[in-house]
Amino acid sequence: MVLRLTDVVKTFPGVRALDGVELEVRAGEVHCLLGQNGAGKSTLIKVLSGVHRPDSGQVEWLGQPVSFANPQAAMKAGIATIYQELDLVDDLSVAENAFLGHEPRRLGFIRRGHTARRTREILGRLGHAEIPPRRLVRALPAAGKQIVSMARALSHRARLIIMDEPSAVLAHDEVGNLFRIIRELTTQGIAVIYISHRLEEIREIGDRVTVLKDGRTTAANLSARDTPTRDLVSRMTGRSIEYVFPDRPTGQPQHRDLLQVTGLGRAGEFADVSLTVRSGEIVGIAGLVGSGRSELLETIYGARRAQTGTVRMSGRTLRPGSVHAAVKAGIGMAPEERKSQALLLGEPIYRNVTLATFGRYARLGFTDAGRERAEADRIAETLELRPRDVRRPVRTLSGGNQQKVVVGRWLLGDTRLLLLDEPTRGVDVGARAELYQVIRALAARGVGVLLVSSEVPEVLGLADRVLVMREGRIVREAPAGELDEDTVLDLVMAGSLMEGVAA
Amino acid sequence: APTTTQTKAADTGGNAAPGKKVTIGFSAPAGHGWVAAITNNAKAQAAAYPDVELKSVEAGPDAAAQRAALATLLSQKPDVIVLLPHDGKELNAFGLEAMQAGVPVVNLDRAFPDALAYRTQIKGDNYGMGVSAGNFIAAQLKAKGVTNPIIGEIAGMDELELTQERSAGFRSALATHGLKVANRRAARFTVDTGQAEAAQLLQALPKMDALWNHDDDQGVGVLAAIKQANRSEFIMVGGAGSRAAIEAIQADNTVLKATVTYSPSMASSAISLARLIGQGKGMSDLVELQVPKEITLASETITKENASAYVKLGF
Amino acid sequence: MKTAKSSPEPRTSFWRGDGSETVRRNLGLLGVLVVLIAIGVVTRPDLYSSSQWVGDNIFSILKLASVVGVVTVGMTFVIIGGGIDLSVGAIVALAGVWSTTLATQSFGAGGMIFTAITVGVGVGLVNGLLISYGRLVPFIATLAMLVAARGLAAEISNKQTQVSANTTINNIASAKLLGIPLLVYILAVVVAAGWVLLNRTTFGRRTVAVGGNPEAARLAGINVRLHTMLLYALSGLCGGIAAIMLTAQANSAQAAMANLYELDAIAAAIIGGTLLSGGRGTIIGSLLGVIIFATITNLFAINDLSAEAQNMVKGGIIVVAVLVQQFRFKSVTRFFARNSKITTTT
Amino acid sequence: MKTAKSSPEPRTSFWRGDGSETVRRNLGLLGVLVVLIAIGVVTRPDLYSSSQWVGDNIFSILKLASVVGVVTVGMTFVIIGGGIDLSVGAIVALAGVWSTTLATQSFGAGGMIFTAITVGVGVGLVNGLLISYGRLVPFIATLAMLVAARGLAAEISNKQTQVSANTTINNIASAKLLGIPLLVYILAVVVAAGWVLLNRTTFGRRTVAVGGNPEAARLAGINVRLHTMLLYALSGLCGGIAAIMLTAQANSAQAAMANLYELDAIAAAIIGGTLLSGGRGTIIGSLLGVIIFATITNLFAINDLSAEAQNMVKGGIIVVAVLVQQFRFKSVTRFFARNSKITTTT
Ligand SMILES: Nc1ncnc2c1ncn2[C@@H]1O[C@H](COP(=O)(O)OP(=O)(O)OP(=O)(O)O)[C@@H](O)[C@H]1O
Ligand SMILES: Nc1ncnc2c1ncn2[C@@H]1O[C@H](COP(=O)(O)OP(=O)(O)OP(=O)(O)O)[C@@H](O)[C@H]1O
Ligand SMILES: [Mg+2]
Ligand SMILES: [Mg+2]
């Protein structure tokens, strides 16, 4: 037993985030934490890593009761953490980020060669020897940043490594890499606390599971491999949810073309992309991280200026590089990075939900706060937002609930085409099912949906038609029914066999 | 324009005749009101001499900038330099440097502490200004028979030594009559700060007998504040001698009854002196063959009685 | 026992989100104001014993605050919108000088007001263009404008003080309505309009969004560049209004007037709780900030404090004012935190 | 053919961006500098024809830049670290005044230098304490310090200009080594030390972290508060050094000296590419910014532009300088973009 928590309580003004948590972690095991959005997982690990101090309860580390005054103390004691929100410094290099706070140094001077060498070593272990240690982190894609976060955790000589939803921004092959590392760590006797909303991952890598609900431990030390899914879900949510996709509507799809993209390209990102979305249709895009899907969506939306090609909505060409024009034409987009691209963290939930629509509820330029709150309440209800009070600042929400706010924004108003970039990232099982229902219902009302997701089953299960992207090009297009997970993964990974099929 | 009335190329005597060509370097801080008049006067005076070429550099916002500007001026090797420093003590080192390089320096208004740093110095009498204002006020109040009078003072930029000198003169003149300043606010030589400080002063002194304002340019604001407060129970004395102030004194329809001069015409005189120095001549009305080392202008008191004589000297 | 645990919920809910922190901050500022006035009463009981004088003094403070107050309203918008406007003082000076040229004065009061406002908005638009479409950093763009506008003002006025001969304009400073100075009404109207604009209109919502997270605002379909430009125009408009007010007070205008008003306005806004990094701020806080500064000046004036003592004390008061604000806030949360802990352990 | 299409172009473009943008920005600034000098040559060929004069002029520019340059190095650290220091000018004044009191001067040059540096660091530490531990917004804390420190300086000097009688100190301004003024050496040493500190030490790298992502810095175990405090102390140290340099140049010190140096320093840092919001900036950029401002001043001096024209032109130059920088940057990226497009589409 390296770690034991008893009756840990942590309150924020107005919220009891942890309400008597029990947790036991053994050396060399992968201990999974499971719970709905807002259950208190991130808060729990922040208590462990010295970011928050518990109001009451006991933390025992290596048999000693401890209380970490700050993150440094926890690190000294041998607890390293990969936080849910990326915690990197954009203008420092990869190596500097990896060793931030405990730089190898001599008389205050950084030993740059030494640091770079050790970073290269760690990156090599992580399967990413190609990332140059002296590159600025700012220049890395989100997935690359996640690798650096992991490198930082590995740069400590830790006895326990905590990972808060590390796979959320990783693609399939990266997750495999991650699991290889985790196994390597556990064989050295290092314990890992692993948080994820993807049950398959927990089954694959986890040893034991602790389930949190509303800040309380509802089940401890379950077997990760053998506990039935229904059991886990009902302990998380208090009810049983079928993790299924809503049925596709039978009958002919409508043939009215809503979105027509022809020959769209941006140097270094993607090239010669043509696609259509019909009204009422859900089109999914599968691909690896870095294959250019987000850029494609942002270009369609006008957030990036297309260098070649055109985007047409209902036959009318949109002005390139103008989000305003796209929004006017009825396009909405839930972007990939919620914090930097979508949220006003200090503003209340309802103002974030209505950020794209408040103008519509306004009369003569005067806003209608009552109406906005009502609409936001409705969204909060549908997406199981917690806490439900829409006047709280978004900053205080858990990661998954923030994501719900971002997606919820575009469920309002009369959007005709919805661009969703990783809409379920970090969203728990229950809310995910609700979200699928909502997206389906929108499609049934004639809204076209273009969906990007790194989870292949999600794309296959939700979309009517699937596009597969690799290195900035569309390499396959087919109805979802004609594809299965293995085919898509093969396409995505670019077996040279498939090269000829690409068109 | 004020520049023409304040300049005067000597029209009699031997000094007026064009002599050796003299290049005069000139530097003064930029600004409005009195400081602006200094530069204008200097330029106009130089233009009136056919044998004078004026090379001027703006002084920039502070002493450090002026030092850098003067360095470029000195490297152009003028015959004489006339300068109104931001602060005499801060530019003393430059004066020494120039004099050592063989370029005579005419210090305008803000004295160098070091006598080796200048050839000639012409300045107004700041302390004397305060004394004149104090004496005038004391005399007026005595004539009115006011006992225990309440006296206000609106100073200029407080960080300038000249402001300190003016206030010191004012205080000591009042002290000789057993009077003292009840409230002193410092404005910044601008109309809006004059107005704001005066408004607060009037608030602090619900009843007042006399007020001295150091600078007639900021005085426009001070008078506006007085008007807005509907106050007229006191007399006011100005400073420097702007045309507007002198005209107001002449018209005698405001509280402003007098102003004590500190005339920017000294800049014109400085140019004339520099020319004579450059030509190796003395002042023709004096017996001496050279220009004297120090000239301090007297501060006169302009009242309704003598205003007409001064009005054309107002800036 | 279990039920006792969840008891603090309803009570704390009162303090939840939704601007109550702002209210508390502003209450803190009000407290500071009350203390300043109390110091005035204690140090000059002779003056404060006359109710006539007290009324006059309040108006004198408000009149002193009025010009900077109007400028601060515009500045608050710009800062909330993620920018900064270092040129406001220069705008006031340029607008004031331009509206008091002899040519302009010949058009009468209407012409002067029109000129001041046009100049203010025009300069603001140029700022906005440089920042929005020229992509200059606001600090640099408005600093350049500061320098340039003061230079132009000096050029126009030929460095002279331009006296306003227009009695209508000059009367703005002395006129009263129902015993209250006109300048105070102008301040009140500008503040009220600013409050409504910030809190009740789509323009205000966009301002908060643009300053809080420009990328999010852009992706939500807000025209960030246009909005940014409008913010600087708004600040320019406030500068134009302030120019008229200041010209009226001084009966004149000159290129050096309104010197460093930008600093006063920024300081007032920040004391009032506006985040320098954008996305948060209140008009009422800014107003309180301005009034606090004016009250300090007044306090020094009635006590005949010398400038240097004044400056030292002023620095101290600023620090204490902000600390008081924070203290209130913290002590309240601490109180509640303690409270909820007690209920848990018993 | 098809395989040629999927050449690793997109991949590699990913990893671009390793500070070369900074280098490009600085090249842009150098370009601006060259243009400014060229204008000088064209407008005053008579002066520029004397090589003696040209050498003198370069040193006169560098001497003008030296004091603000030293202050800017400290300011750059503070801004990169996410703060701002409005009190540097006041620190220079206070340190200068304190070190030229008669009592201090009696301890000789060593005593004066020691006093200036102690006062600078001390005031900086107070700033840091107020900001780190008193949790005051940096803008307000250092503004309060500005006011208070100038007040104190006025009090100490009794508003007089205090002449330095110490020839060792005074000689700092005139002494030359190998034909190069001592002041230029001091600037060079401070800049070099700043560069090393920022780029080669943990302190510097942590400064970037504290300013760029304070939360990440905290999570990485950096003592953000302590670090922030040290940044202000560093700025104070630079202020102390600058005070000695300025005192030497003026042979005296007074409470009003170094007026608005904070604005000059901030502007230079920002022109040099430092982000006002923190987390990014370079010492070399700041130095170039300072030198550009000094060169502009010099250009005006040798051409005898009137102050008002000077100001208008200055505003324009600032805007153009920044635009040029951006233009260069953009055109280069566009060039690369075009290039890579060609390889993709062929
Ligand atoms: N700083 C804070 N202030 C107020 N409330 C907070 C704060 N941080 C977290 N909370 C609240 O605490 C609760 C638990 O949040 P936490 O982030 O631990 O959830 P989580 O289990 O990690 O959820 P997710 O799966 O969405 O990441 C939530 O209700 C959240 O709103
Ligand atoms: N040239 C580049 N320089 C820097 N970053 C880049 C470059 N090209 C792409 N990126 C970044 O790489 C990241 C991932 O690339 P991209 O968005 O193309 O992948 P994706 O298929 O959308 O994957 P994801 O599932 O992560 O969204 C993006 O955040 C993008 O900003
Ligand atoms: Mg979480
Ligand atoms: Mg993406």
Side-chain angles (χ1 to χ4, degrees):
Chain A
M1 203 62 49
V2 291
L3 178 74
R4 187 204 304 276
L5 269 67
T6 10
D7 202 23
V8 168
V9 174
K10 172 75 196 169
T11 51
F12 295 111
V15 184
R16 189 166 288 251
L18 298 181
D19 193 10
V21 169
E22 320 276 334
L23 177 70
E24 284 182 357
V25 181
R26 292 186 200 136
E29 77 163 341
V30 178
H31 196 104
C32 297
L33 272 182
L34 212 51
Q36 277 180 294
N37 295 133
K41 304 180 294 295
S42 298
T43 307
L44 177 61
I45 66 149
K46 283 186 177 160
V47 165
L48 283 179
S49 58
V51 176
H52 293 322
R53 308 190 65 176
D55 297 340
S56 68
Q58 211 179 34
V59 179
E60 247 176 73
W61 172 243
L62 304 175
Q64 300 292 319
V66 288
S67 167
F68 299 125
N70 51 46
Q72 207 161 14
M75 276 175 209
K76 277 230 175 75
I79 300 179
T81 309
I82 302 171
Y83 296 95
Q84 186 172 10
E85 305 299 342
L86 289 175
D87 53 352
L88 299 178
V89 182
D90 270 351
D91 279 85
L92 289 182
S93 71
V94 170
E96 286 163 349
N97 265 291
F99 285 91
L100 186 63
H102 62 116
E103 305 86 351
R105 58 178 176 264
R106 193 179 292 131
L107 301 170
F109 288 86
I110 295 184
R111 300 170 60 191
R112 292 171 19 110
H114 184 74
T115 312
R117 208 163 39 247
R118 280 183 62 190
T119 308
R120 206 170 292 125
E121 205 176 281
I122 296 169
L123 289 172
R125 267 172 76 197
L126 287 164
H128 281 278
E130 86 283 3
I131 301 181
R134 296 218 167 126
R135 189 77 63 197
L136 289 188
V137 156
R138 186 208 326 214
L140 300 190
K145 291 181 179 168
Q146 186 70 28
I147 309 277
V148 179
S149 274
M150 280 194 266
R152 177 186 291 170
L154 296 183
S155 73
H156 291 274
R157 257 177 266 287
R159 302 279 311 263
L160 168 68
I161 297 187
I162 305 174
M163 304 185 180
D164 195 354
E165 300 195 36
S167 59
V169 291
L170 293 183
H172 207 270
D173 56 336
E174 299 289 349
V175 175
N177 246 332
L178 172 65
F179 286 178
R180 191 173 48 70
I181 308 272
I182 291 180
R183 289 199 187 96
E184 207 177 282
L185 292 171
T186 49
T187 48
Q188 295 166 19
I190 296 171
V192 173
I193 294 180
Y194 187 89
I195 300 177
S196 173
H197 289 291
R198 299 181 189 164
L199 293 180
E200 340 54 277
E201 289 178 0
I202 285 170
R203 298 248 183 259
E204 191 181 335
I205 192 72
D207 294 312
R208 297 190 304 158
V209 177
T210 292
V211 182
L212 294 187
K213 179 176 186 305
D214 297 337
R216 249 169 279 207
T217 305
T218 52
N221 306 334
L222 303 175
S223 159
R225 261 164 281 270
D226 311 326
T227 317
T229 300
R230 207 177 327 115
D231 245 31
L232 289 176
V233 170
S234 73
R235 281 175 205 265
M236 275 166 63
T237 63
R239 63 201 161 102
S240 55
I241 289 171
E242 291 296 309
Y243 181 61
V244 290
F245 295 98
D247 292 331
R248 292 200 178 79
T250 47
Q252 291 291 323
Q254 288 170 282
H255 283 289
R256 203 155 52 80
D257 275 358
L258 191 62
L259 174 77
Q260 283 174 300
V261 175
T262 31
L264 210 61
R266 272 176 62 85
E269 292 172 0
F270 56 90
D272 197 23
V273 170
S274 300
L275 60 86
T276 58
V277 179
R278 289 183 268 274
S279 60
E281 188 185 33
I282 302 177
V283 177
I285 304 182
L288 285 190
V289 171
S291 57
R293 298 162 304 169
S294 297
E295 282 83 352
L296 173 61
L297 246 54
E298 285 173 16
T299 310
I300 293 174
Y301 192 51
R304 293 167 187 246
R305 185 188 288 272
Q307 288 168 340
T308 61
T310 56
V311 177
R312 272 180 294 170
M313 259 305 267
S314 313
R316 199 169 297 157
T317 307
L318 294 185
R319 192 151 66 85
S322 165
V323 173
H324 202 62
V327 172
K328 262 208 180 131
I331 308 182
M333 182 179 83
E336 177 178 21
E337 288 181 28
R338 55 178 177 252
K339 264 201 182 163
S340 64
Q341 293 188 298
L343 291 174
L344 304 174
L345 289 171
E347 288 283 283
I349 293 169
Y350 78 91
R351 289 191 169 195
N352 272 282
V353 172
T354 59
L355 185 64
T357 42
F358 65 81
R360 278 177 224 182
Y361 312 135
R363 252 167 290 138
L364 298 172
F366 287 87
T367 51
D368 183 345
R371 170 95 187 274
E372 284 180 34
R373 271 202 292 270
E375 297 284 347
D377 264 332
R378 194 164 59 74
I379 294 295
E381 186 77 23
T382 331
L383 296 183
E384 298 193 334
L385 200 70
R386 69 188 57 195
R388 196 57 60 81
D389 181 358
V390 295
R391 282 171 307 176
R392 296 182 67 93
V394 163
R395 184 194 308 282
T396 64
L397 292 187
S398 76
N401 283 302
Q402 290 181 355
Q403 180 68 23
K404 292 180 198 168
V405 170
V406 173
V407 177
R409 174 181 304 162
W410 295 103
L411 306 181
L412 285 176
D414 42 12
T415 309
R416 293 194 297 143
L417 174 73
L418 206 52
L419 311 175
L420 299 175
D421 198 353
E422 310 281 3
T424 57
R425 171 173 293 176
V427 172
D428 70 44
V429 211
R432 198 178 278 228
E434 297 292 340
L435 197 57
Y436 294 150
Q437 299 282 2
V438 173
I439 293 173
R440 226 342 125 197
L442 282 175
R445 288 209 323 249
V447 174
V449 178
L450 188 57
L451 166 83
V452 165
S453 172
S454 295
E455 288 180 56
V456 177
E458 187 169 284
V459 175
L460 292 178
L462 194 58
D464 300 313
R465 197 148 48 82
V466 175
L467 307 172
V468 181
M469 261 182 105
R470 187 177 72 240
E471 291 183 357
R473 283 159 190 284
I474 293 181
V475 293
R476 182 75 192 272
E477 173 178 351
E482 291 175 16
L483 293 171
D484 61 26
E485 201 171 338
D486 290 339
T487 326
V488 172
L489 283 178
D490 231 29
L491 277 168
V492 153
M493 310 285 208
S496 51
L497 273 177
M498 310 302 291
E499 205 48 54
V501 188
Chain B
T3 48
T4 53
T5 56
Q6 290 201 1
T7 54
K8 178 167 144 204
D11 42 17
T12 52
N15 282 344
K20 190 184 122 210
K21 183 130 182 91
V22 179
T23 308
I24 300 178
F26 177 79
S27 172
H32 47 86
W34 189 87
V35 199
I38 283 281
T39 305
N40 290 340
N41 287 349
K43 289 189 172 161
Q45 183 77 0
Y49 290 114
D51 52 357
V52 165
E53 187 196 347
L54 195 72
K55 277 196 169 141
S56 78
V57 289
E58 288 284 357
D62 60 12
Q66 188 172 26
R67 207 157 29 237
L70 285 168
T72 70
L73 187 62
L74 187 58
S75 65
Q76 298 175 40
K77 310 234 178 307
D79 298 316
V80 192
I81 286 179
V82 175
L83 91 125
L84 178 79
H86 273 282
D87 182 289
K89 289 175 185 163
E90 287 190 278
L91 281 141
N92 184 56
F94 172 78
L96 284 171
E97 187 189 339
M99 292 287 285
Q100 269 162 22
V103 181
V105 174
V106 177
N107 177 305
L108 184 49
D109 190 42
R110 296 176 193 173
F112 292 142
D114 204 330
L116 293 177
Y118 59 92
R119 163 67 183 77
T120 288
Q121 173 175 289
I122 175 165
K123 65 193 229 354
D125 184 4
N126 285 302
Y127 189 87
M129 229 180 132
V131 171
S132 301
N135 285 337
F136 179 84
I137 284 174
Q140 293 290 311
L141 294 177
K142 199 170 283 172
K144 276 197 204 165
V146 187
T147 51
N148 282 332
I150 298 168
I151 300 169
E153 179 184 357
I154 300 207
M157 287 167 73
D158 224 6
E159 61 266 28
L160 297 182
E161 257 185 21
L162 65 92
T163 300
Q164 301 303 317
E165 290 174 14
R166 290 177 187 183
S167 285
F170 189 54
R171 265 197 311 271
S172 46
L174 289 180
T176 57
H177 297 94
L179 305 177
K180 63 177 181 22
V181 175
N183 201 323
R184 176 184 183 275
R185 305 281 91 209
R188 306 195 61 79
F189 290 143
T190 60
V191 284
D192 60 328
T193 55
Q195 192 274 342
E197 294 300 337
Q200 291 305 310
L201 181 84
L202 293 171
Q203 197 56 35
L205 303 175
K207 193 196 156 298
M208 185 162 59
D209 297 293
L211 170 67
W212 182 40
N213 164 50
H214 287 204
D215 179 74
D216 284 335
D217 201 39
Q218 75 185 17
V220 176
V222 174
L223 284 171
I226 293 167
K227 206 168 73 188
Q228 283 148 25
N230 260 329
R231 296 271 294 267
S232 58
E233 81 278 9
F234 56 88
I235 57 162
M236 172 173 158
V237 177
S242 78
R243 173 181 299 228
I246 299 172
E247 281 169 356
I249 292 166
Q250 233 173 348
D252 197 18
N253 52 7
T254 64
V255 290
L256 187 65
K257 299 301 176 202
T259 187
V260 287
T261 61
Y262 196 88
S263 177
S265 60
M266 66 175 83
S268 313
S269 306
I271 294 293
S272 296
L273 293 174
R275 169 175 171 269
L276 294 178
I277 291 169
Q279 295 173 340
K281 296 181 186 162
M283 294 165 76
S284 44
D285 286 342
L286 302 186
V287 182
E288 269 69 29
L289 294 178
Q290 294 292 327
V291 170
K293 174 113 177 150
E294 312 250 352
I295 298 174
T296 302
L297 307 177
S299 177
E300 295 128 83
T301 307
I302 304 174
T303 59
K304 192 182 174 190
E305 285 68 42
N306 61 5
S308 54
Y310 283 95
V311 71
K312 64 177 187 301
L313 271 182
F315 61 90
Chain C
M1 258 193 100
K2 288 265 165 188
T3 44
K5 269 189 185 181
S6 50
S7 65
E9 292 301 330
R11 226 192 301 171
T12 46
S13 71
F14 173 72
W15 298 108
R16 253 190 238 161
D18 223 23
S20 63
E21 187 202 320
T22 312
V23 172
R24 247 172 297 148
R25 280 192 81 101
N26 287 348
L27 281 178
L29 287 177
L30 262 183
V32 171
L33 201 53
V34 169
V35 170
L36 286 175
I37 293 171
I39 295 177
V41 174
V42 170
T43 51
R44 291 303 302 268
D46 53 326
L47 290 177
Y48 271 94
S49 63
S50 147
S51 70
Q52 162 72 26
W53 183 89
V54 171
D56 278 0
N57 198 43
I58 290 175
F59 290 137
S60 118
I61 291 175
L62 288 177
K63 276 163 74 172
L64 183 61
S66 64
V67 179
V68 179
V70 168
V71 167
T72 304
V73 169
M75 183 68 85
T76 305
F77 271 90
V78 171
I79 298 181
I80 294 179
I84 194 136
D85 189 351
L86 297 183
S87 68
V88 280
I91 290 179
V92 171
L94 181 60
V97 163
W98 208 318
S99 67
T100 51
T101 56
L102 287 179
T104 314
Q105 289 202 34
S106 69
F107 289 99
M112 290 171 72
I113 294 176
F114 176 81
T115 306
I117 288 187
T118 309
V119 169
V121 173
V123 175
L125 278 176
V126 174
N127 277 336
L129 272 173
L130 288 174
I131 291 160
S132 285
Y133 297 94
R135 297 181 189 242
L136 289 183
V137 201
F139 190 95
I140 294 295
T142 57
L143 182 69
M145 181 56 84
L146 183 175
V147 178
R150 284 218 186 266
L152 182 58
E155 185 76 50
I156 292 177
S157 66
N158 199 17
K159 293 191 217 161
Q160 300 299 310
T161 301
Q162 296 183 160
V163 174
S164 153
N166 189 301
T167 48
T168 316
I169 294 289
N170 295 351
N171 277 343
I172 292 175
S174 42
K176 291 191 176 193
L177 244 104
L178 309 172
I180 298 173
L182 188 54
L183 287 174
V184 176
Y185 283 104
I186 299 181
L187 175 64
V189 168
V190 171
V191 166
W195 189 89
V196 170
L197 191 61
L198 182 62
N199 295 295
R200 289 286 179 267
T201 70
T202 53
F203 184 88
R205 283 291 292 283
R206 286 193 204 109
T207 305
V208 174
V210 166
N213 188 342
E215 180 67 4
R218 191 171 75 100
L219 292 180
I222 294 171
N223 191 336
V224 174
R225 288 194 179 180
L226 178 66
H227 193 84
T228 303
M229 202 173 77
L230 292 179
L231 285 175
Y232 288 93
L234 180 64
S235 175
L237 171 66
C238 290
I241 298 174
I244 291 293
M245 295 165 75
L246 196 58
T247 303
Q249 278 189 286
N251 284 4
S252 59
Q254 55 175 212
M257 78 177 181
N259 192 29
L260 294 185
Y261 273 27
E262 52 276 6
L263 263 189
D264 291 349
I266 297 171
I270 292 180
I271 283 246
T274 301
L275 272 193
L276 196 52
S277 51
R280 195 194 319 161
T282 66
I283 299 291
I284 300 300
S286 295
L287 177 67
L288 286 172
V290 173
I291 294 181
I292 284 179
F293 280 124
T295 308
I296 294 178
T297 305
N298 179 262
L299 189 60
F300 289 137
I302 62 176
N303 279 296
D304 187 30
L305 273 176
S306 76
E308 60 266 49
Q310 187 167 326
N311 282 342
M312 283 186 290
V313 177
K314 197 168 176 178
I317 289 184
I318 296 175
V319 168
V320 170
V322 179
L323 283 179
V324 163
Q325 244 177 312
Q326 287 176 346
F327 173 75
R328 256 199 70 78
F329 174 54
K330 263 212 211 149
S331 65
V332 168
T333 44
R334 212 178 291 140
F335 171 77
F336 275 97
R338 195 156 9 108
N339 239 20
S340 57
K341 198 154 76 187
I342 291 164
T343 46
T344 337
T345 44
T346 47
Chain D
M1 258 190 89
K2 288 268 165 184
T3 43
K5 263 193 187 178
S6 53
S7 64
E9 225 54 61
R11 282 262 148 190
T12 50
S13 64
F14 250 41
W15 308 114
R16 213 194 292 144
D18 51 342
S20 63
E21 183 201 321
T22 312
V23 173
R24 248 172 293 151
R25 278 192 82 103
N26 286 349
L27 282 179
L29 287 177
L30 262 182
V32 171
L33 202 53
V34 169
V35 170
L36 286 175
I37 292 170
I39 295 177
V41 174
V42 170
T43 51
R44 292 301 303 269
D46 54 324
L47 290 178
Y48 271 92
S49 62
S50 145
S51 69
Q52 161 71 25
W53 183 88
V54 172
D56 279 0
N57 198 44
I58 289 176
F59 289 138
S60 121
I61 291 176
L62 288 177
K63 274 165 79 173
L64 179 62
S66 64
V67 179
V68 179
V70 168
V71 167
T72 305
V73 169
M75 182 68 85
T76 305
F77 271 90
V78 170
I79 298 181
I80 293 179
I84 194 139
D85 188 351
L86 297 183
S87 67
V88 280
I91 289 179
V92 172
L94 181 60
V97 163
W98 208 316
S99 66
T100 51
T101 56
L102 289 179
T104 314
Q105 289 201 34
S106 70
F107 289 99
M112 289 170 72
I113 294 176
F114 176 80
T115 306
I117 289 187
T118 310
V119 169
V121 173
V123 175
L125 278 175
V126 174
N127 277 335
L129 271 173
L130 287 174
I131 291 160
S132 285
Y133 298 94
R135 293 180 193 245
L136 288 183
V137 203
F139 190 96
I140 293 295
T142 56
L143 182 69
M145 183 54 84
L146 184 174
V147 178
R150 284 216 187 267
L152 183 57
E155 185 75 50
I156 291 177
S157 65
N158 200 18
K159 289 188 214 156
Q160 302 297 310
T161 303
Q162 296 182 161
V163 174
S164 151
N166 190 302
T167 48
T168 315
I169 293 290
N170 296 350
N171 278 343
I172 292 175
S174 44
K176 291 192 176 190
L177 243 103
L178 309 172
I180 299 173
L182 188 56
L183 287 173
V184 177
Y185 283 105
I186 298 180
L187 174 65
V189 167
V190 170
V191 166
W195 189 90
V196 169
L197 191 61
L198 183 62
N199 294 295
R200 290 288 179 268
T201 69
T202 53
F203 181 86
R205 302 287 81 196
R206 290 176 179 190
T207 303
V208 175
V210 166
N213 190 344
E215 184 62 15
R218 197 172 71 94
L219 293 181
I222 294 171
N223 191 337
V224 174
R225 290 196 180 179
L226 180 65
H227 196 92
T228 303
M229 201 173 79
L230 292 179
L231 286 175
Y232 288 92
L234 179 65
S235 175
L237 171 66
C238 290
I241 297 173
I244 291 293
M245 295 165 75
L246 196 57
T247 303
Q249 279 189 285
N251 285 5
S252 61
Q254 53 152 279
M257 77 179 183
N259 193 29
L260 294 185
Y261 274 28
E262 51 277 6
L263 263 189
D264 292 349
I266 297 171
I270 291 179
I271 284 245
T274 301
L275 274 193
L276 196 52
S277 50
R280 196 191 310 170
T282 65
I283 299 291
I284 300 301
S286 295
L287 176 67
L288 286 171
V290 173
I291 293 181
I292 284 179
F293 279 123
T295 309
I296 295 178
T297 306
N298 180 259
L299 191 60
F300 290 141
I302 62 176
N303 278 297
D304 184 31
L305 274 178
S306 75
E308 57 267 49
Q310 191 168 323
N311 282 342
M312 283 186 289
V313 177
K314 194 168 177 179
I317 290 183
I318 296 176
V319 168
V320 171
V322 180
L323 284 179
V324 163
Q325 238 180 318
Q326 287 177 347
F327 174 75
R328 253 199 71 78
F329 176 53
K330 263 210 209 150
S331 65
V332 168
T333 45
R334 215 177 288 142
F335 172 76
F336 273 98
R338 192 151 16 100
N339 241 20
S340 58
K341 194 157 78 188
I342 292 165
T343 46
T344 351
T345 44
T346 47

